[in-house]
Amino acid sequence: MILAKTALITGISGQDGSYLAELLISKGYEVHGVIRRSSSFNTRRLDPIYKDPHEANTRLILHYGDLADGVSLTNLIRDLQPHEIYHLGAQSHVRVSFEIPEYTAQTTGLGTLRILEAIRASGVQTRFYQASSSEMFGAAPPPQNEHTPFHPRSPYAAAKVFAYWITVNFREAYGLFAVNGILFNHESHRRGETFVTRKISRAVARIRAGLQDKLYLGNLDALRDWGYAPDFVSAMWLMLQQSKADDFVIATGESHSVREFLDLAFDRVRLDWHQFVEVDPRYLRPSEVDHLRGDASKAERVLGWKPSVRFPELVALMVDADIQLLEDELAGRLVGVDRES
Ligand code: NAP
Ligand code: GDD
């Protein structure tokens, strides 16, 4: 009998964690995920693959843990001995990181070190993926690739730069199979509701239904390289299947402004966003990242990776999904999956 590969995912309840868990289960993996204790259910995105742990052949197993709690991470890694570890957990909101910088450094920065130390100290033979970010490039002009120097513009980005380099250091110092995926922005209808794309797609659905009449945003001129999250999680998996550990930029190679996102999103329902959108300075950042556009030619050459969804399709699918979600909510068709503690 061939034993299934096991993977451990931190941040499994987030956008990327949920898509990655689906991908790995479809490839026959047994998937273990770290979730935080919360006063309400925080595993909504896992509903499509969640099975009651009492059922036979459950391939998704959730464990309580926290990136600020090194003991929980060390115990899990030692006990599970996973073949692959995808470290996606983080305080991932850039604007919020200015308000909770120390917590962001603790989780987004030091969380990575805690996991790497747990791997090193336990001697577990595993492959490690670090969710690095295009935010690390910050003020460096586009196009950005693996050789572009970092110039972080937020506590979040600074914490990610630490996590990036500590991953490289553990690879060089201890020979760990540890890689950085430097991913540019990627979105979907599972994107957190306070990131700009999802904030817009949800607002479009609500304005169309007459439930909202204003959308308050910050900097409309920022340019981002926006891709589709399911495409991007497949690149994570590819990076851990290589014979040599290496770092890769993952991006679409196109950038668009927040204004362009608004144009396409409101056009989808034949509305003019200028009638609904107002700029509220509270959403501006003390220091902004003006322009991100990635050059993912190395990933295409080495991993054979290419994005399948482009900007107009991404906007359309997010708006359509939020319209459907709202209609389901209004019709009382949404019933969450219940689970045990
Ligand atoms: P996300 O939706 O915000 O998910 C973050 C995950 O981390 C959630 O599962 C969250 O749990 C968990 N988490 C937060 N703090 C934690 C803590 N103290 N202990 C344990 N878990 C904790 O983020 P995402 O968009 O899926 O992104 C995944 C990773 O890629 C993140 O590291 C992010 O910084 C990075 N990244 C994202 C993008 C992007 O465009 N999406 C681009 C580059 C890099 P809760 O559900 O309980 O909050
Ligand atoms: N969130 C938010 N809310 N952003 C706004 C708003 C608003 O009301 N109005 C304008 N923006 C602008 C931000 O100033 C930023 O320039 C751009 O929209 C994108 O903001 P976010 O969607 O919050 O994403 P981000 O680029 O700051 O960070 C995301 O991508 C990074 C990769 O580059 C996050 O997913 C990070 O975790 C990730 O590392």
Side-chain angles (χ1 to χ4, degrees):
M1 191 178 90
I2 301 169
L3 286 180
K5 268 193 174 178
T6 54
L8 176 65
I9 305 177
T10 70
I12 195 167
S13 57
Q15 171 187 255
D16 291 5
S18 66
Y19 282 121
L20 180 65
E22 285 173 16
L23 177 77
L24 296 180
I25 286 174
S26 76
K27 290 182 181 296
Y29 282 67
E30 179 176 288
V31 174
H32 293 259
V34 179
I35 55 165
R36 303 195 272 184
R37 150 75 188 145
S38 159
S39 63
S40 48
F41 289 132
N42 59 352
T43 49
R44 183 176 38 89
R45 294 186 180 100
L46 298 172
D47 284 354
I49 47 172
Y50 184 80
K51 270 200 189 170
D52 189 303
H54 301 100
E55 285 180 35
N57 300 325
T58 309
R59 306 195 71 77
L60 173 68
I61 300 123
L62 301 178
H63 308 265
Y64 284 110
D66 199 293
L67 295 172
D69 179 4
V71 173
S72 66
L73 301 169
T74 305
N75 289 344
L76 258 182
I77 289 168
R78 188 197 54 229
D79 293 349
L80 293 173
Q81 308 221 355
H83 296 97
E84 294 169 10
I85 298 177
Y86 296 87
H87 174 39
L88 312 184
Q91 189 306 90
S92 72
H93 203 285
V94 174
R95 177 71 189 81
V96 172
S97 79
F98 287 96
E99 284 161 46
I100 49 170
E102 190 179 328
Y103 176 78
T104 303
Q106 265 296 337
T107 52
T108 305
L110 287 178
T112 301
L113 174 61
R114 291 188 180 102
I115 295 176
L116 287 165
E117 258 301 296
I119 296 170
R120 187 196 65 77
S122 63
V124 169
Q125 292 303 305
T126 189
R127 294 182 166 212
F128 174 81
Y129 174 88
Q130 164 61 20
S132 284
S133 165
S134 53
E135 273 292 307
M136 301 188 302
F137 296 123
Q144 295 99 357
N145 67 19
E146 292 82 1
H147 303 292
T148 305
F150 300 138
H151 184 151
R153 297 274 286 168
S154 63
Y156 166 81
K160 283 284 184 189
V161 170
F162 170 79
Y164 170 94
W165 280 115
I166 203 69
T167 300
V168 173
N169 179 243
F170 271 59
R171 183 166 75 215
E172 292 174 355
Y174 305 117
L176 295 192
F177 193 107
V179 309
N180 283 289
I182 307 173
L183 272 49
F184 282 62
N185 298 50
H186 46 279
E187 320 292 312
S188 72
H189 68 285
R190 292 189 194 169
R191 184 58 143 150
E193 291 84 350
T194 61
F195 295 97
V196 75
T197 55
R198 187 78 200 287
K199 191 169 164 183
I200 295 171
S201 62
R202 285 183 90 234
V204 167
R206 274 151 211 268
I207 289 169
R208 173 181 174 269
L211 298 172
Q212 183 174 332
D213 54 12
K214 280 275 168 259
L215 168 61
Y216 295 98
L217 294 174
N219 177 14
L220 306 185
D221 298 317
L223 291 148
R224 288 291 180 276
D225 180 330
W226 277 299
Y228 184 45
D231 281 346
F232 281 48
V233 300
S234 61
M236 298 175 185
W237 178 77
L238 283 170
M239 283 179 223
L240 290 198
Q241 311 315 307
Q242 303 304 302
S243 54
K244 177 174 161 279
D246 201 356
D247 306 322
F248 292 92
V249 158
I250 300 296
T252 71
E254 283 177 33
S255 55
H256 298 274
S257 65
V258 174
R259 268 174 220 284
E260 286 174 81
F261 198 102
L262 284 166
D263 282 339
L264 292 189
F266 278 80
D267 270 2
R268 186 90 186 146
V269 296
R270 296 188 180 77
L271 290 173
D272 177 2
W273 63 266
H274 298 90
Q275 291 173 14
F276 304 100
V277 172
E278 278 185 27
V279 171
D280 180 342
R282 106 172 56 175
Y283 298 115
L284 299 175
R285 291 150 190 210
S287 47
E288 174 65 291
V289 171
D290 294 323
H291 193 174
L292 294 175
R293 179 163 49 85
D295 164 11
S297 48
K298 178 178 169 187
E300 184 171 354
R301 195 176 67 252
V302 179
L303 306 176
W305 181 87
K306 266 208 268 194
S308 72
V309 173
R310 294 284 170 183
F311 182 67
E313 197 187 335
L314 174 69
V315 180
L317 72 83
M318 288 183 71
V319 169
D320 293 355
D322 269 320
I323 290 173
Q324 185 63 54
L325 180 67
L326 184 62
E327 285 175 358
D328 288 346
E329 277 170 359
L330 292 172
R333 281 195 291 266
L334 287 182
V335 181
V337 176
D338 243 5
R339 61 205 49 156
E340 305 185 80
S341 69

